[in-house]
Amino acid sequence: MIETKRRGGRPRSEQARQAVLHAVDDLLLEVGYAAMTMKGIAVRAGVGRQTVYRWWSTKAEILFEACVDDAEEELAVAPARTRLAEVTSYLDALMRFLAYSPAGAGYRALLAAAEHDPAVKQLIATKDVLRDSARAVLHRIAPHRPAGDHAIDLLIGPTFFWIMSGRDPAQLDIDELARSFFHGFGSEEP
Amino acid sequence: MIETKRRGGRPRSEQARQAVLHAVDDLLLEVGYAAMTMKGIAVRAGVGRQTVYRWWSTKAEILFEACVDDAEEELAVAPARTRLAEVTSYLDALMRFLAYSPAGAGYRALLAAAEHDPAVKQLIATKDVLRDSARAVLHRIAPHRPAGDHAIDLLIGPTFFWIMSGRDPAQLDIDELARSFFHGFGSEEP
Amino acid sequence: MIETKRRGGRPRSEQARQAVLHAVDDLLLEVGYAAMTMKGIAVRAGVGRQTVYRWWSTKAEILFEACVDDAEEELAVAPARTRLAEVTSYLDALMRFLAYSPAGAGYRALLAAAEHDPAVKQLIATKDVLRDSARAVLHRIAPHRPAGDHAIDLLIGPTFFWIMSGRDPAQLDIDELARSFFHGFGSEEP
Amino acid sequence: MIETKRRGGRPRSEQARQAVLHAVDDLLLEVGYAAMTMKGIAVRAGVGRQTVYRWWSTKAEILFEACVDDAEEELAVAPARTRLAEVTSYLDALMRFLAYSPAGAGYRALLAAAEHDPAVKQLIATKDVLRDSARAVLHRIAPHRPAGDHAIDLLIGPTFFWIMSGRDPAQLDIDELARSFFHGFGSEEP
DNA sequence: AGATAAGCGAGACGGTACGTCGTGTCTTAGC
DNA sequence: GCTAAGACACGACGTACCGTCTCGCTTATCT
């Protein structure tokens, strides 16, 4: 039996769990990650503080649980006709995720928190949604290639840097980026 | 004259200023950005808390002032014989800065803080050391090109993403990255 | 039932309350009222600062709660054989209270603080231990009189002024004061 | 020569001295003794902080200098026809001084501060305006008596206690108090 | 007349208490 | 035995005032 041992007692309230996850989603957009507190989450969810601490250690854990599923879904793009279209479509999804999606906001907050806290770094390493999504795309457009990290970084890096350095997402030229992915800086000889 | 207006009053103590900047440098390495507090900085610097608040609003501001000069210096690479060597050399400096340099640790902490605080985002936007350094390199290897943001992102992005997503810096293949910068994902047709 | 409403939540810690009251008692004697701080009280009591602020607003409130019971007890004198003996005995208790008793030191500090802070003035007005004690004595020696404020001031005033103006308590002639209370300044015609 | 030794240097600014004394007077009424700060006094007087500290150690010293002359003057009553009138007139002046006069407010603040600070106690002991004024009255109405402390306390005490315990000054029966000063609590035998 | 010296307003200095807030733990009553 | 409520010890927050110091300047007396 995989079922966890339970010897009586009130079972965990799924309602409380959902309330906490939604509270985190809401608070992230309303006040931002830094101003989001465990106390605030509990109050917003209408839940006791101990109930929060019983199931999660930090706000990062809650946020991770709250946004990882959405993130995976948003980064999974449908196959396209050409390889260029496939990459373009993926980069578009990536940009939208990082720049506009609530789940993406959560992910960015977690990445930032990871920079300040090794525990968070370890947490998000358990499910690398960004690299996984890119790997899937690369596997489709070049099934005979190993799809190593190198290609993944080439694919994600420029868009990632654009967003993370605070540039306007609307001014990112996805098409040009997709072309450069295949052709590089230019035709000139290095 | 650029001279600051002074109508009496004790002048600012350069000694106190240096003590605070050094304290921030030290504390960043010793306890990390998250555990660094304004109070801790003041105590470590042997300075009154009001003196810190008088000249800086947040620890981010202090850290920015403490590491921006070093960052600029570390990212300025000497010209190389070939364009490939130039890029390789730059990517190496970039990787070392982001992954190993104390100034780079400060910069990463600031980037992360910017994700949580718009004020910090604005602060680091006043002096984009990363983009500026890449622009300088690109100007040398392709003087006839405008050196737009697109090329900058292609150059920095992959390395930046590698480091920021927590990968081992030692396993980053700088040479391959430099080649790909010129040639793209590969010879295959999109 | 007078019972306070309680719908869950950890109950107030009587231990913490006592610790705070004792800390105030101790600190008043050790460092004096002026040097006594909310922070110092909390530390001395081994209690969080929030716990102090949760139940009291100012050090004056704590001190009031800490010494009002003792004050009442010390000012309640046993009935004596003659009216003169009764008054003498009361004035002696009053002098000892104001000049030597720890509770009296607290009361003097509160009277002084009331002079600087209307809130304290209002606080000590809720339980006028001095006037109450005098009223009790006057009621015993002259049950047929209304025991108005006038007589109370005649009774307490001289001793009170002697102590509050910093004179040596030992040189106060209680017997003479008691006699004067009945006979006034002297036999001379006004 | 009593003149202080001075071998050159700018003389003390009488204008600054007056500004400080007036600032203290004003601030005492506006914000009260407790909220009055050395910094606030300096700012209000338009004077450097060091200038205040150069001539006075504490706000109590300034206040003492600012109100002692007025106090003496206000407590000096003109001779009256009868001894009863003399005492009544004095008690009235005493009540007005303690309850309504700005100088009296300063004096009450100093008395209160003395309760918290021995230095202030010592300061106001150098010039006991209350006892001095009462002694003068007693000397006039009973020149053949030594005018010891006992009579002074009988005279001042009741009014002093009335005011200091926060009673409404308007409800103090000066005439009754004056009569009682001569006759005591009543005709009953102790 | 020039030097010397002390007072002046301004304001930064190292400290420390303020009252508030968030932390993670605990102890209730209620379901 | 999980829940909501809320008190607990702890410590950082940013502000205010402490008393001291260091500026440039002014105003006097003493060579």
Side-chain angles (χ1 to χ4, degrees):
Chain A
M1 289 274 276
I2 304 178
E3 184 180 331
T4 298
K5 184 194 306 181
R6 289 203 44 249
R7 290 192 10 262
R10 182 175 180 175
R12 176 175 184 183
S13 161
E14 177 61 19
Q15 182 181 324
R17 177 176 168 272
Q18 292 293 343
V20 169
L21 295 180
H22 286 143
V24 167
D25 270 343
D26 294 349
L27 287 174
L28 182 67
L29 296 179
E30 290 174 22
V31 305
Y33 183 82
M36 191 166 66
T37 68
M38 291 295 264
K39 182 178 189 176
I41 292 166
V43 170
R44 173 62 164 257
V47 142
R49 298 217 275 145
Q50 192 64 53
T51 301
V52 181
Y53 281 107
R54 188 157 16 234
W55 304 110
W56 299 276
S57 295
T58 62
K59 58 179 175 177
E61 276 187 24
I62 314 176
L63 184 55
F64 186 69
E65 182 170 339
C67 73
V68 70
D69 290 344
D70 284 346
E72 227 170 351
E73 186 180 326
E74 293 177 25
L75 289 170
V77 297
R81 270 197 326 112
T82 65
R83 302 201 302 152
L84 182 60
E86 183 106 28
V87 163
T88 305
S89 164
Y90 173 71
L91 288 181
D92 190 58
L94 177 62
M95 182 272 285
R96 287 180 193 285
F97 171 73
L98 288 176
Y100 301 120
S101 156
Y107 188 77
R108 275 187 294 130
L110 285 171
L111 270 176
E115 209 59 50
H116 298 151
D117 181 353
V120 180
K121 178 148 274 176
Q122 200 167 337
L123 174 69
I124 60 173
T126 62
K127 186 88 180 169
D128 196 334
V129 286
L130 244 41
R131 278 201 149 76
D132 288 351
S133 66
R135 191 173 290 114
V137 170
L138 289 170
H139 184 68
R140 282 210 301 261
I141 65 175
H144 56 288
R145 278 209 186 186
D149 287 325
H150 178 71
I152 292 177
D153 294 322
L154 285 182
L155 181 55
I156 297 178
T159 300
F160 182 83
F161 178 57
W162 181 268
I163 304 294
M164 295 306 278
S165 59
R167 290 320 191 84
D168 179 4
Q171 292 186 15
L172 182 62
D173 189 338
I174 295 292
D175 295 320
E176 177 70 9
L177 230 42
R179 273 193 297 276
S180 294
F181 174 69
F182 288 105
H183 297 134
F185 179 54
S187 54
E188 311 173 63
E189 279 305 295
Chain B
M1 287 278 277
I2 304 177
E3 182 181 331
T4 298
K5 185 195 303 185
R6 277 204 52 242
R7 282 190 24 256
R10 184 177 180 172
R12 176 173 184 185
S13 163
E14 177 62 20
Q15 181 180 324
R17 177 177 167 271
Q18 292 292 344
V20 169
L21 294 179
H22 287 144
V24 167
D25 270 343
D26 295 350
L27 288 174
L28 182 67
L29 297 178
E30 290 174 21
V31 304
Y33 184 81
M36 191 166 66
T37 67
M38 291 294 262
K39 179 178 185 174
I41 293 165
V43 170
R44 174 62 164 257
V47 142
R49 297 172 62 181
Q50 188 70 72
T51 299
V52 180
Y53 283 107
R54 186 157 20 233
W55 304 110
W56 300 278
S57 295
T58 62
K59 57 180 176 177
E61 276 187 26
I62 313 177
L63 184 54
F64 185 71
E65 182 170 339
C67 73
V68 69
D69 289 344
D70 283 346
E72 228 172 350
E73 188 180 325
E74 293 177 24
L75 289 171
V77 297
R81 266 196 331 109
T82 67
R83 303 200 302 153
L84 182 61
E86 183 104 28
V87 164
T88 305
S89 162
Y90 173 71
L91 288 181
D92 189 59
L94 177 62
M95 183 272 286
R96 288 181 192 286
F97 171 72
L98 287 175
Y100 301 120
S101 155
Y107 189 77
R108 274 187 295 129
L110 285 171
L111 272 176
E115 212 57 51
H116 297 151
D117 182 352
V120 180
K121 179 146 272 174
Q122 201 167 336
L123 174 70
I124 59 175
T126 62
K127 184 84 181 172
D128 195 335
V129 286
L130 245 41
R131 278 201 151 76
D132 288 351
S133 66
R135 191 172 290 115
V137 170
L138 288 171
H139 184 68
R140 283 209 300 259
I141 66 175
H144 56 289
R145 278 206 187 187
D149 287 325
H150 178 72
I152 292 177
D153 296 320
L154 285 183
L155 181 56
I156 298 179
T159 300
F160 181 82
F161 179 58
W162 182 268
I163 304 294
M164 293 307 278
S165 58
R167 292 318 193 82
D168 180 3
Q171 292 186 16
L172 182 62
D173 190 338
I174 295 291
D175 295 320
E176 179 68 10
L177 232 40
R179 271 193 298 275
S180 296
F181 173 70
F182 287 105
H183 297 132
F185 177 53
S187 53
E188 312 172 62
E189 278 306 294
Chain C
M1 287 278 276
I2 305 178
E3 180 180 333
T4 298
K5 185 193 305 181
R6 278 204 52 241
R7 282 191 22 257
R10 183 177 182 172
R12 176 173 184 183
S13 163
E14 177 62 20
Q15 181 180 325
R17 177 176 167 273
Q18 292 292 345
V20 170
L21 294 180
H22 287 144
V24 167
D25 270 344
D26 295 349
L27 287 174
L28 182 67
L29 296 179
E30 290 175 21
V31 304
Y33 184 81
M36 191 165 67
T37 68
M38 291 295 261
K39 179 178 187 176
I41 293 165
V43 170
R44 173 62 164 256
V47 141
R49 296 170 62 181
Q50 187 71 74
T51 298
V52 180
Y53 282 108
R54 191 165 8 243
W55 304 110
W56 299 276
S57 294
T58 62
K59 57 180 176 178
E61 277 187 23
I62 314 176
L63 184 54
F64 185 70
E65 182 170 340
C67 73
V68 70
D69 289 344
D70 283 347
E72 228 171 350
E73 188 181 325
E74 293 178 22
L75 289 172
V77 297
R81 265 193 334 107
T82 66
R83 304 199 303 152
L84 181 61
E86 183 106 27
V87 164
T88 305
S89 162
Y90 173 70
L91 289 181
D92 190 58
L94 177 62
M95 182 273 284
R96 288 182 192 283
F97 171 72
L98 287 176
Y100 301 121
S101 156
Y107 189 77
R108 275 187 295 129
L110 285 171
L111 272 175
E115 211 58 51
H116 296 150
D117 182 352
V120 180
K121 180 147 271 175
Q122 200 167 338
L123 173 70
I124 59 174
T126 63
K127 184 85 180 170
D128 196 334
V129 286
L130 244 42
R131 278 201 150 77
D132 288 350
S133 65
R135 190 171 293 115
V137 169
L138 288 171
H139 183 69
R140 282 209 301 261
I141 65 175
H144 57 288
R145 276 207 188 186
D149 287 325
H150 178 71
I152 292 177
D153 295 320
L154 285 183
L155 181 54
I156 298 180
T159 301
F160 181 82
F161 178 57
W162 182 268
I163 303 294
M164 295 306 279
S165 59
R167 291 318 192 86
D168 179 2
Q171 293 187 17
L172 183 61
D173 189 337
I174 294 292
D175 295 319
E176 178 69 10
L177 231 39
R179 272 193 298 274
S180 296
F181 173 70
F182 288 105
H183 297 132
F185 177 54
S187 53
E188 312 173 60
E189 279 305 296
Chain D
M1 288 274 278
I2 303 176
E3 184 181 330
T4 298
K5 184 197 301 178
R6 287 204 48 251
R7 285 191 17 262
R10 183 178 180 171
R12 176 174 184 182
S13 162
E14 177 62 19
Q15 181 182 325
R17 177 176 168 274
Q18 292 293 344
V20 169
L21 294 179
H22 286 143
V24 167
D25 270 343
D26 295 349
L27 287 174
L28 181 67
L29 296 179
E30 289 174 22
V31 303
Y33 184 82
M36 191 167 67
T37 67
M38 291 296 263
K39 181 180 188 173
I41 293 166
V43 169
R44 173 64 164 255
V47 142
R49 298 219 273 146
Q50 192 65 53
T51 299
V52 180
Y53 281 108
R54 189 161 12 236
W55 304 110
W56 299 277
S57 294
T58 62
K59 57 179 175 177
E61 277 187 23
I62 314 177
L63 184 55
F64 185 70
E65 182 169 339
C67 72
V68 70
D69 289 344
D70 283 346
E72 227 170 350
E73 186 180 326
E74 293 176 23
L75 289 170
V77 297
R81 267 197 329 111
T82 67
R83 300 200 304 153
L84 180 61
E86 182 106 27
V87 163
T88 305
S89 162
Y90 173 69
L91 288 181
D92 190 58
L94 177 62
M95 183 271 284
R96 288 180 192 286
F97 171 72
L98 287 176
Y100 301 121
S101 156
Y107 188 77
R108 275 186 295 130
L110 286 172
L111 269 177
E115 209 59 49
H116 298 151
D117 182 353
V120 179
K121 177 148 275 178
Q122 199 166 339
L123 174 70
I124 59 174
T126 61
K127 185 88 180 169
D128 195 335
V129 285
L130 243 42
R131 278 201 150 77
D132 288 351
S133 65
R135 190 172 290 113
V137 168
L138 289 170
H139 184 68
R140 283 211 300 262
I141 66 174
H144 55 287
R145 278 207 184 187
D149 287 325
H150 177 72
I152 292 178
D153 295 320
L154 285 183
L155 181 56
I156 297 179
T159 300
F160 182 82
F161 178 57
W162 181 268
I163 303 294
M164 295 307 277
S165 59
R167 291 319 191 83
D168 179 4
Q171 293 187 15
L172 182 62
D173 190 337
I174 295 292
D175 295 320
E176 177 70 9
L177 230 42
R179 272 192 298 274
S180 295
F181 173 70
F182 287 105
H183 298 133
F185 177 54
S187 53
E188 313 171 62
E189 280 303 297

